[in-house]
Amino acid sequence: GHTNVPTVPSGKAIVQATSSMFRTEDHISLDHMQKLMNKFMAKGGTLTKREFRLALEEIVGHGERFTQQMNLLFQKMDTSADGHVDWDEFCTFMMHDLESKERMRNEHEVPLLVCPKLLETPHMFSIKRIIHLR
């Protein structure tokens, strides 16, 4: 079921992140991708939800709330909603997820467009506080 999410006046949902938030897709390495590809190819390029869960559990491992996270991940990847995830759906999702993370990281980094001007200072130690300016 859906829970009521508080909204701000603009209508955007308030998202609360927690340090215990675990996203299975954040823990899939290139080595895992190679092993998962082998699992997909062994099954004709397509895995059922159960096969996908077992493959992830074997290759990536599982922590608390693994089943819940895996179900959510499968749902996101199964774009055709046929109860199967094929290798293309899996790779498309992973690429989109990586691009989203890269975009978010770039938005938080402010580029330095000019070199900062370094000033000579007669002070022996770094300045911690300025008490009075004229």
Side-chain angles (χ1 to χ4, degrees), residues 5-31:
V5 177
T7 57
V8 291
S10 67
K12 293 185 178 178
I14 297 170
V15 178
Q16 294 179 340
T18 62
S19 59
S20 64
M21 188 160 168
F22 178 87
R23 287 177 9 125
T24 304
E25 58 268 37
D26 292 339
H27 300 277
I28 298 175
S29 68
L30 284 175
D31 183 50

Side-chain angles (χ1 to χ4, degrees), residues 39-50:
K39 294 281 186 188
F40 273 94
M41 295 311 134
K43 295 286 186 173
T46 302
L47 297 178
T48 64
K49 189 178 202 175
R50 182 178 182 281

